[in-house]
Amino acid sequence: DISLSDYKNKSFRYLSNNIELQNKIEECLNNKTNAFININENGKYLNIELSYINTEWLSGVILTIDDVTLLMNLENNKKEFFQNASHELKSPLTCIIGYQQMITEGIVDKEDEIKESARKSLKEAIRMNGILSDMLSLATIEAHSSEPKENINPKELILEMVEALSLEASRQNIKITTNIDDEMLYASKNEFNEIVRNLIDNAIKYNKENGSIELILKDGVLTVSDTGIGIKDEDKSRIFERFYRVDKGRSKKSGGTGLGLAIIKHICLNNNYRIELESRILEGSSFKIYFK
Ligand code: ADP
């Protein structure tokens, strides 16, 4: 947003009010040297190369400015992901080590206490395994643009998934109803299953006792609605971030990894499927995926 006339024949100090950059330019002019700096200003990361030039007709410093904001943001995202992932894996591992130490050091020695410690460490190991499988799925989805598509029978796949998750639902007395078109869908079977599994799984986990879940597939649009705890407006976009949970305790207790919706988001991004979320706190949520 600058016009040449505003800067022509003016001191370089008009170009930027970044003191570090101004000093570097001055240094290069005075010492007749080259330099390199990176500055981070107003959310932008800039790599700036300063080259001193001195010819018959011109002397000064040429600035080559490389905007590396996108790259830096990616780098920061990666760093944040590794930090979160290490933390997520470290906490179950710390528990496992603790229980195993109690057994091996004889701090628990009665048979039922040993069994209880073993049971708890097994539970944590299963949790770690779940986090690692979700991390691997996410990495695979991110690495490939999208999986090969075929004509799939969504009714069959959804009913199979409902059957597989019905035991978990019945534990909380949650009723699942379905209303699914008989149409075929052109999609990847694995990706379709992954979306359906994660959405039903969440609709069970974040539901209320005696609640209900409704699954509708009409004209290529899948709707999964629940009568659960709902999601606040400020959390609606954040829940699709990796490892973001509204209530960490509840997610952990129900075996959540914090990666289910991130997996769904990436599958949808790769395939241009639109996601819509409607939710009212304490009333329930409804996730819609447009497969067409
Ligand atoms: P998690 O393994 O924790 O369930 P997800 O990525 O699947 O991870 O979901 C992220 C968070 O979004 C959850 O921890 C929960 O707070 C919120 N959430 C997801 N689905 C629902 C839902 N149907 N109702 C209320 N909250 C939900």
Side-chain angles (χ1 to χ4, degrees):
D1 282 338
I2 61 171
S3 88
L4 189 59
S5 57
D6 291 344
Y7 294 90
K8 207 171 172 185
N9 297 325
K10 293 222 171 95
S11 159
F12 62 81
R13 294 191 188 274
Y14 279 92
L15 263 179
S16 158
N17 49 18
N18 185 298
I19 302 291
E20 215 187 330
L21 178 61
Q22 291 182 0
N23 291 344
K24 242 339 170 224
I25 296 174
E26 192 140 46
E27 195 184 298
C28 290
L29 285 171
N30 293 339
N31 303 339
K32 302 185 174 29
T33 50
N34 301 332
F36 177 86
I37 61 164
N38 33 52
I39 58 177
N40 172 13
E41 222 175 41
N42 306 326
K44 264 192 192 301
Y45 292 91
L46 305 175
N47 284 349
I48 305 180
E49 223 179 295
L50 301 94
S51 318
Y52 177 77
I53 55 151
N54 190 12
T55 66
E56 268 170 48
W57 50 276
L58 182 73
S59 90
V61 172
I62 295 178
L63 303 191
T64 314
I65 304 173
D66 195 2
D67 185 344
V68 289
T69 312
L70 202 67
L71 213 68
M72 287 305 279
N73 285 345
L74 276 175
E75 198 57 34
N76 287 342
N77 266 349
K78 211 161 91 181
K79 253 190 238 161
E80 205 178 293
F81 175 69
F82 274 109
Q83 269 168 3
N84 284 337
S86 322
H87 176 79
E88 295 288 336
L89 291 171
K90 202 167 165 25
S91 51
L93 193 55
T94 308
C95 289
I96 295 170
I97 293 171
Y99 292 127
Q100 294 303 317
Q101 266 173 347
M102 288 204 294
I103 297 172
T104 49
E105 287 168 16
I107 297 167
V108 291
D109 52 5
K110 293 194 193 77
E111 201 188 318
D112 54 342
E113 284 176 352
I114 294 173
K115 263 194 184 155
E116 182 59 11
S117 298
R119 192 190 61 79
K120 283 179 177 161
S121 47
L122 178 64
K123 196 174 161 214
E124 294 297 327
I126 291 171
R127 202 159 84 77
M128 262 184 97
N129 196 33
I131 298 171
L132 280 168
S133 335
D134 275 359
M135 278 172 67
L136 281 175
S137 299
L138 195 57
T140 315
I141 295 162
E142 281 183 332
H144 306 287
S145 47
S146 74
E147 281 197 14
K149 292 185 172 60
E150 58 186 313
N151 276 321
I152 58 168
N153 183 338
K155 189 166 191 168
E156 205 177 280
L157 296 174
I158 291 175
L159 292 179
E160 265 173 30
M161 198 58 77
V162 169
E163 173 72 29
L165 295 168
S166 62
L167 183 68
E168 198 49 49
S170 65
R171 282 205 182 111
Q172 294 177 63
N173 207 19
I174 291 166
K175 214 174 126 204
I176 306 181
T177 54
T178 54
N179 182 359
I180 303 154
D181 269 2
D182 265 324
E183 266 175 51
M184 298 297 274
L185 204 66
Y186 190 62
S188 143
K189 198 170 174 173
N190 277 343
E191 290 182 342
F192 184 81
N193 271 337
E194 192 82 1
I195 291 175
V196 174
R197 184 176 61 80
N198 277 306
L199 287 181
I200 305 179
D201 194 39
N202 281 348
I204 298 172
K205 283 193 299 197
Y206 305 107
N207 217 315
K208 297 175 198 142
E209 186 104 13
N210 306 320
S212 63
I213 298 170
E214 189 180 22
L215 278 121
I216 303 171
L217 184 81
K218 201 170 175 4
D219 301 330
V221 183
L222 173 72
T223 311
V224 180
S225 312
D226 64 60
T227 54
I229 56 172
I231 303 154
K232 278 189 267 160
D233 282 346
E234 63 256 43
D235 286 320
K236 280 183 185 158
S237 62
R238 300 220 58 195
I239 55 169
F240 292 93
E241 289 172 19
R242 302 148 166 168
F243 296 122
Y244 185 85
R245 288 104 152 185
V246 178
D247 177 348
K248 212 164 179 171
R250 182 168 180 146
S251 158
K252 216 170 128 180
K253 219 171 117 198
S254 50
T257 63
L259 292 174
L261 289 180
I263 290 176
I264 292 183
K265 184 179 103 176
H266 275 91
I267 294 177
C268 291
L269 272 176
N270 285 348
N271 293 286
N272 281 327
Y273 301 152
R274 189 152 58 92
I275 308 177
E276 272 176 16
L277 163 61
E278 272 174 36
S279 184
R280 273 172 199 277
I281 199 81
L282 300 176
E283 284 182 24
S285 309
S286 168
F287 288 80
K288 265 195 169 89
I289 312 281
Y290 291 73
F291 285 96
K292 281 184 187 163

